[in-house]
């Protein structure tokens, strides 16, 4: 009998490289989808765009008569969050976040990058209608966009810089998931909640028993999604929960663990389909001189923009300085403070999850203004970070050639 090839240390690096390539491609498709949405929504065919987005489909049973925009937000994004859950579980068990010393810096930086933007947003928008939930909009960092910008502009940065950004973004996503679960659960159906818990326990048991057939897992995932949605919890939480319950350590006879296998299978669909389709229906805001003026004068959109661009930078960089100066953590190998500053600026690219929270927390025209603020802030943060990363990449290239 052939002995399976042992898991090599370099495999973790290979997994990260594959993740980076997929998310880079996804970031480009996401950018194209956003451009299409903006052009379509502001063209003579804009009414058709809005009609499609608001068209309801699905049975009324279990509250599944949703608009196409809501199906993209609640359904397709569940796939994105499932992949996030898989990545989070892998990072915590066998990746960077499994080593407390290595994980301390991105964890502290991510916490700073959530608390400071939320505090800035609240202080600027205090008393504005909807601000009781909209403070959460600048909390999130978009993995696909951030990694895409880093891959294009920071090719000569040490690999440890990329690992730091990915770990930070994963912890950031966990924080956003908790915010969505707590902040946007307005009602709770005990029966549906019980079914959701039972489904998740069954999924965990099947993983423990090493059952592999998709004929059990796919229907179970659908049942879990429907139950979580019907319980009053945002349906994307079902994806996260299933991802976190998936096994990440391979058995001796396995070539790779189920979590890795599922990432290979589903991440391209998440990056190239689920997130771009969500963006297509979420980013289609009507842009006019008047609306742009309101974005720069209204307290709520200003809170979102300053929270994302300024708050993220101050929070991530400031928390990193605090962690290193107090000896809670050390800088990644080969990474300097100017590199951390560039990566901190890149954290201000909110996009996917920020647009989702804007949709969940606001209604009417205020939603459109908040989304416009997210798009503008993400553009400013990505362009500024790109300029900084190009300079840092050249500096590292020069150092390596000496």
């Amino acid at each position: 009998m052939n002995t399976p090839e042992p898991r090599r240390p370099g495999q973790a690096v290979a997994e990260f490289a594959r993740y980076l390539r997929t998310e880079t491609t996804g970031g480009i498709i996401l950018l194209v989808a956003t451009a299409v949405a903006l052009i379509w929504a502001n063209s003579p065919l804009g009414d058709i765009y809005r009609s499609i987005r608001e068209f309801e489909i699905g049975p009324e049973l279990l509250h599944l008569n949703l608009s196409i925009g809501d199906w993209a937000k609640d359904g397709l994004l569940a796939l994105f969050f499932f992949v996030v859950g898989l990545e989070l579980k892998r990072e915590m068990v066998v990746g960077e976040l499994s080593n407390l010393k290595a994980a301390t810096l991105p964890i502290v930086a991510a916490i700073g990058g959530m608390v400071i933007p939320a505090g800035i947003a609240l202080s600027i928008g205090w008393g504005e209608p909807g601000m009781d939930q909209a403070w959460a909009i600048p909390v999130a960092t978009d993995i696909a966009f951030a990694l895409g910008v880093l891959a294009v502009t920071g090719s000569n940065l040490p690999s440890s810089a990329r690992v730091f950004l990915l770990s930070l973004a994963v912890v950031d996503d966990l924080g956003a998931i908790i915010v969505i679960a707590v902040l946007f659960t307005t009602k709770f159906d005990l029966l549906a909640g019980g079914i959701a818990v039972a489904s998740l326990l069954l999924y965990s048991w099947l993983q423990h028993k090493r059952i592999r057939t998709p004929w059990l897992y796919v229907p179970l995932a659908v049942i879990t999604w429907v139950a979580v949605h019907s319980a009053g919890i945002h349906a994307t939480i079902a994806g996260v929960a299933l991802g976190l319950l998936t096994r990440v350590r391979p058995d001796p006879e396995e070539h790779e663990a189920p979590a890795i296998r599922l990432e290979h299978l589903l991440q391209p669909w998440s990056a190239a389909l689920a997130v771009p389709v969500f963006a297509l229906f979420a980013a289609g805001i009507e842009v006019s001189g008047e609306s742009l003026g309101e974005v720069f004068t209204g307290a709520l959109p200003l809170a979102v923009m300053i929270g994302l661009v300024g708050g993220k930078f101050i929070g991530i960089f400031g928390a990193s300085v605090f962690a290193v100066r107090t000896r809670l953590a050390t800088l990644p190998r080969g990474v300097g403070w100017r590199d951390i500053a560039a990566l901190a600026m890149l954290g201000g690219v909110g996009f996917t999850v920020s647009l989702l929270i804007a949709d969940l927390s606001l209604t009417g025209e205020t939603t459109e203004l908040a989304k416009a603020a997210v798009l503008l802030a993400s553009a400013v943060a990505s362009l500024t970070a790109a300029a900084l990363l190009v300079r840092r990449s050249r500096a590292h290239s020069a150092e390596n050639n000496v």
Side-chain angles (χ1 to χ4, degrees):
M1 191 174 83
N2 293 330
T3 304
E5 183 182 351
R7 187 173 179 84
R8 300 182 302 273
Q11 282 184 277
V13 177
E15 285 299 324
F16 175 74
R18 180 198 59 78
Y19 188 93
L20 185 64
R21 285 193 298 272
T22 306
E23 291 300 337
T24 301
T25 305
I28 294 169
I29 299 172
L30 180 58
L31 185 60
V32 172
T34 303
V36 169
L38 286 168
I39 293 169
W40 190 2
N42 291 279
S43 73
L45 301 177
D47 288 339
I48 296 176
Y49 169 84
R50 285 177 282 277
S51 296
I52 293 173
R53 185 174 62 185
E54 300 304 322
F55 182 78
E56 290 190 356
I57 187 171
E60 290 191 22
L61 182 68
L62 303 175
H63 314 291
L64 294 178
N65 54 327
L66 304 175
S67 69
I68 289 178
D70 284 337
W71 276 112
K73 178 175 65 182
D74 295 355
L76 284 177
L77 272 195
L79 174 61
F80 164 74
F81 276 102
F82 178 65
V83 173
V84 168
L86 292 173
E87 181 63 23
L88 179 60
K89 177 72 174 288
R90 184 167 67 83
E91 284 291 313
M92 290 191 300
V93 177
V94 298
E96 283 295 309
L97 299 181
S98 63
N99 183 321
L100 183 60
K101 187 175 181 180
T104 299
L105 186 62
I107 290 173
V108 172
I111 293 171
M114 290 183 283
V115 173
I116 299 301
I120 288 175
L122 268 175
S123 64
I124 294 173
W126 186 263
E128 289 292 307
M131 203 64 211
D132 57 329
Q133 293 182 321
W135 59 264
I137 295 173
V139 162
T141 294
D142 190 284
I143 294 179
F145 257 34
L147 288 178
V149 172
L150 179 61
V152 172
T153 61
S155 57
N156 291 315
L157 262 69
S159 60
S160 54
R162 295 171 172 80
V163 173
F164 169 79
L165 179 65
L166 177 60
S167 302
L168 183 149
V170 168
V171 176
D172 190 284
D173 273 344
L174 176 61
I177 289 160
I178 294 170
V179 167
I180 291 170
V182 173
L183 209 58
F184 302 108
T185 301
T186 54
K187 58 183 179 64
F188 187 77
D189 186 301
L190 281 175
L191 177 60
I195 293 172
V197 170
S199 300
L200 291 170
L201 289 174
L202 178 56
Y203 181 91
S204 179
W205 182 81
L206 291 171
Q207 285 286 300
H208 179 70
K209 292 297 181 181
R210 300 330 193 234
I211 305 298
R212 295 189 182 186
T213 174
W215 295 105
L216 283 176
Y217 285 117
V218 173
L220 188 58
V222 172
I223 290 169
T224 305
W225 182 90
V226 172
V228 169
H229 173 78
S230 301
I233 303 170
H234 195 264
T236 53
I237 301 301
V240 177
L242 291 168
L244 289 174
L245 291 174
T246 304
R247 188 163 52 86
V248 295
R249 292 190 186 277
D251 288 337
E253 71 279 3
E254 286 183 311
H255 176 64
E256 57 186 4
I260 305 301
R261 198 162 55 245
L262 284 169
E263 270 197 71
H264 288 173
L265 177 66
L266 298 176
Q267 191 181 3
W269 291 100
S270 168
L273 178 67
V275 174
V277 170
F278 164 74
L280 179 65
F281 291 108
I285 58 174
E286 294 183 69
V287 179
S288 65
E290 183 180 348
S291 63
L292 281 176
E294 289 183 38
V295 169
F296 289 101
T297 56
L300 191 146
L302 275 175
V304 171
M305 285 194 293
I306 296 173
L308 274 172
V309 178
K312 276 288 185 182
F313 176 81
I314 295 169
I316 294 171
F317 188 74
S320 298
V321 171
F322 170 80
V324 172
R325 294 288 168 81
T326 57
R327 298 185 180 180
L328 288 173
T330 57
L331 285 174
R333 187 178 59 183
V335 174
W337 283 116
R338 292 182 183 180
D339 301 319
I340 296 293
L343 295 172
M345 179 57 68
L346 195 51
V349 182
F351 211 84
T352 306
V353 181
S354 292
L355 289 176
L356 173 62
I357 295 175
D359 258 332
L360 295 174
S361 60
L362 301 167
T363 57
E365 185 183 352
T366 312
T367 309
E368 302 293 291
L369 291 174
K371 286 183 178 182
V374 169
L375 296 178
L376 285 168
S378 297
V380 170
S382 60
L383 291 172
T384 306
L388 294 172
L389 287 166
V390 166
R391 292 188 63 180
R392 295 308 304 152
S393 185
R394 288 174 180 168
H396 281 283
S397 179
E399 290 171 5
N400 294 334
N401 292 329
V402 171

